[in-house]
Amino acid sequence: MDSLGALRRTHNCNTLGLDNLNQEVVLMGWVLRRRDHGGVIFIDLRDRWGITQIVFNPEVNPEPHAKAHQLRSEWVLAVKGKVEARPGDMENPKLKTGAIEIMVSELRILNTSKTPPFPLDEDSEVSDNIRLQYRYLDLRRPEIGANLVMRHTATQAARSFLCENGFLEIETPMLTRSTPEGARDYLVPSRVNAGKFFALPQSPQLFKQLLMMGGMDRYFQIVKCFRDEDLRADRQPEFTQIDLELSFVGEDDIMAIAEGLVKQVFAATRGIALNPPFPRMSYQEAISRYGNDKPDTRFGLELVDLTEKLRGCGFKVFNAVIEGGGIVKAINAKGCGTFSRKDLDDLTNYAGTFGAKGMAWIKVKEDEWQSPITKFFNENEIEAMRQALNAEPGDLILFGADSVAVVNQVLSELRLELGRRLNLTDNSVFNFLWVTDFPLVEFDAERKRYAAVHHPFTAPLDEDLELLETEPLKVRSRAYDLVLNGSEIGGGSIRIHTTEMQAKMLNLLGIADEEAEEKFGFLLRALEFGAPPHGGIAFGLDRLMMMLTGSGSIRDVIAFPKTQKATCPLTDAPGSVARKQLTELHLRPDWKEA
RNA sequence: GGGGUCGUAGUUCAGUUGGUUAGAAUGCCGGCCUGUCACGCCGGAGGUCGCCGGUUCGAGCCCGGUCGGCCCCGCCA
């Protein structure tokens, strides 16, 4: 093995071209592939930026050529040599540097490598846990590496936009206190204070509000947040927010800032010119038309409410649901009248995973409505459905009949599934949508009390204030979510900034005065000292990067992600700790010593 | 907490109705090769069929359990 010594790179592996002919250059990188012809040897040398072919020719430079025979995948090299045009028609159009090659005059082997456990080229499929176990090798592959580069570009764009608009980047504590509401906390035991615990922040929510009360006026932070809940393809227990908060503003100001930020990020990363302002839709409308509060507006197939049109109909299943206070809604799957029995069974099973007890369907034919249930409807009802659904021959109607919540969830999932099956989800289209006018609270049936839909610091809409004590479920909040292609990528609100309103809100949530004082006393006190009107928003950076990179998994945009069981195959975290560590933390282990 | 799916060579996979010595591609090792770019040709090594138990004359294959990857429901203010 050789020493790097004083040798330094003159270029990276993606820059050289015909402009550099006959220059003497120094490149460093990894052996991607070698092609040893016995005589001449070609090596594809790879670094973060790209690939350059280097050549060892025994007739030109016998010494490095002799040395090059031993080179293997992922060995680390420094090479000095002359930039030469490739002879004749030997150019490689697949490489940016494909017009040239480096005739090596000096080879330094900086390190050897074991044979990699999986191929590092771009098109090999490798299982997730091997990739994560050797993540440092996975990062050398183009896919993940390029995603991290784009992530860097995105955060830099966000930073510069926010700085230009007067925001201060301020850090907030990672060791903070657990507060009620919200997700399960990650807890950190305190050694110095026996029996007390810190919690890792689910978000910097209260601190950023306190920064507004501290007169910082405009704050942002690109910050880790922690929620100890089960994982999904778009959810990790630690994730990153672009978090911001502004003083003396209303919804429109914050939305405009958010739109400007997103616009700058899209331009910087993908060269896509967005045209804000983005459309807005009320929560009620989103639920009614799409069945959920983060509609994918790239395609139609909207939900149609048939409850009143079918009240008293001859189909007992529907009628019983309607009599019982439930609803009947339907989707017209345009042109899906050709679906087979198996297709319909698959969709029914899929609906079942979201709580549907069944799924009625009708195939609209030229002269009849083909379905096991058509016979239960009279002509008026069929005509009413035809009009409401704009049903034409060749269409397929799918029904949901159940409680409001189940119908909306089932049909919204069916709609998305149909969108995927019919290839209506075009990943080159970016449909942004603001969802506004969320309910302030919902009723938690299990705990028999109201719970904040957004969080307990979200301000109610002024015009709904009088309903706060009489019909709290009808009160709308000043919260807003930013939705992109059916994925919630940001959310925020105007906050409560008076002690009275905050106390009223905590009261509504069934948090007693003593508890409020203990858990939120510091916030209530701060509100007493001239808190400015303020509000903000936080973007889920990971989800945003999934959209920008077209990744199917959040793991593909995070350098060192966790598995679905929230472990890290690379470090084998979480791991065990010594008994002494626990006792120092005043914790009593209940496991047996190994 | 629940449902689905996968687990066979370093890697990606095939493996029939339960039947002799578990295969392919690629990678790896050795040899040959002076213009390749997924170089080519010849040869070779490489397996606890995730693990435990059961059924059977006989299990990669069937059954039960368990561990792990992934997807989903619940959960995620």
Side-chain angles (χ1 to χ4, degrees), chain A residues 345-356:
Chain A
D345 285 347
D346 286 350
L347 285 175
T348 304
N349 288 336
Y350 189 69
T353 66
F354 300 98

Side-chain angles (χ1 to χ4, degrees), chain A residues 151-169:
Chain A
R151 186 172 175 132
H152 162 83
T153 307
T155 52
Q156 285 302 100
R159 264 206 179 84
S160 73
F161 175 83
L162 291 167
C163 292
E164 284 160 18
N165 283 277
F167 287 77
L168 296 177
E169 183 168 14

Side-chain angles (χ1 to χ4, degrees), chain A residues 36 38-41 56-59 61-69 104:
Chain A
D36 186 341
V40 67
I41 298 172
F56 298 87
N57 189 321
E59 287 173 5
N61 296 99
E63 196 188 323
H65 174 264
K67 206 171 165 184
H69 274 297
V104 178

Side-chain angles (χ1 to χ4, degrees), chain A residues 185-197:
Chain A
D185 284 318
Y186 275 99
L187 295 178
V188 180
S190 167
R191 176 183 59 84
V192 180
N193 302 282
K196 299 287 177 65
F197 292 82

Side-chain angles (χ1 to χ4, degrees), chain A residues 174-190:
Chain A
M174 286 291 114
L175 295 175
T176 180
R177 64 170 300 152
S178 177
T179 51
E181 309 279 312
R184 194 176 294 111
D185 284 318
Y186 275 99
L187 295 178
V188 180
S190 167

Side-chain angles (χ1 to χ4, degrees), chain A residues 191 577-587 589 591 593:
Chain A
R191 176 183 59 84
V577 296
R579 185 167 286 255
K580 180 161 181 289
Q581 286 176 285
L582 291 183
T583 52
E584 272 183 347
L585 293 169
H586 319 286
L587 298 175
W591 36 261
E593 203 81 59

Side-chain angles (χ1 to χ4, degrees), chain A residues 295-550:
Chain A
D296 188 339
T297 55
R298 284 176 297 178
F299 60 96
L301 305 179
E302 293 185 16
L303 281 53
V304 175
D305 194 331
L306 301 172
T307 308
E308 290 316 313
K309 297 184 170 59
L310 296 180
R311 188 178 289 280
C313 72
F315 185 31
K316 275 186 192 159
V317 174
F318 284 6
N319 222 357
V321 163
I322 294 170
E323 298 284 309
I327 58 169
V328 177
K329 288 173 96 169
I331 298 175
N332 180 359
K334 277 284 171 197
C336 294
T338 53
F339 273 24
S340 67
R341 185 66 212 210
K342 182 177 180 306
D343 292 328
L344 291 167
D345 285 347
D346 286 350
L347 285 175
T348 304
N349 288 336
Y350 189 69
T353 66
F354 300 98
K357 296 176 195 75
M359 186 191 75
W361 52 267
I362 293 175
K363 287 180 178 178
V364 181
K365 303 278 179 184
E366 205 69 55
D367 45 2
E368 60 158 351
W369 279 29
Q370 185 189 319
S371 163
I373 64 166
T374 311
K375 59 185 176 223
F376 298 116
F377 300 111
N378 63 37
E379 274 179 34
N380 288 342
E381 287 156 355
I382 288 187
E383 188 49 37
M385 284 193 274
R386 184 196 307 281
Q387 280 181 21
L389 290 159
N390 184 29
E392 297 168 315
D395 291 351
L396 171 70
I397 302 169
L398 302 177
F399 293 87
D402 209 304
S403 67
V404 175
V406 169
V407 166
N408 279 327
Q409 186 182 358
V410 166
L411 286 187
S412 109
E413 295 294 344
L414 277 176
R415 173 178 176 270
L416 292 172
E417 176 64 15
L418 286 167
R420 286 186 290 266
R421 287 191 186 206
L422 301 174
N423 286 321
L424 301 174
T425 52
D426 181 348
N427 281 331
S428 67
V429 171
F430 294 96
N431 268 17
F432 287 87
L433 178 72
W434 287 108
V435 177
T436 63
D437 298 323
F438 283 82
L440 184 68
V441 295
E442 61 196 350
F443 194 71
D444 183 337
E446 205 172 304
R447 296 155 72 187
K448 297 204 167 98
R449 65 173 190 78
Y450 295 110
V453 167
H454 194 56
H455 57 51
F457 320 106
T458 296
L461 213 54
D462 284 344
E463 60 204 82
D464 290 352
L465 280 180
E466 57 198 34
L467 298 169
L468 209 50
E469 270 137 56
T470 52
E471 294 179 280
L473 290 173
K474 289 195 173 162
V475 178
R476 290 166 294 174
S477 73
R478 300 180 69 181
Y480 33 82
D481 278 358
L482 183 58
V483 175
L484 169 54
N485 293 355
S487 179
E488 182 200 327
I489 60 161
S493 63
I494 300 297
R495 327 295 184 188
I496 295 168
H497 73 282
T498 66
T499 323
E500 298 72 35
M501 181 55 72
Q502 189 63 69
K504 204 180 274 184
M505 182 66 188
L506 292 175
N507 214 338
L508 175 60
L509 298 176
I511 299 174
D513 287 352
E514 312 82 64
E515 190 189 358
E517 178 55 32
E518 194 212 325
K519 304 283 173 56
F520 300 115
F522 65 101
L523 178 75
L524 296 173
R525 205 147 313 118
L527 291 170
E528 291 171 347
F529 288 94
H534 63 286
I537 188 169
F539 297 92
L541 176 63
D542 312 277
R543 284 187 190 167
L544 185 59
M545 292 318 301
M546 284 178 71
M547 310 299 281
L548 283 168
T549 59

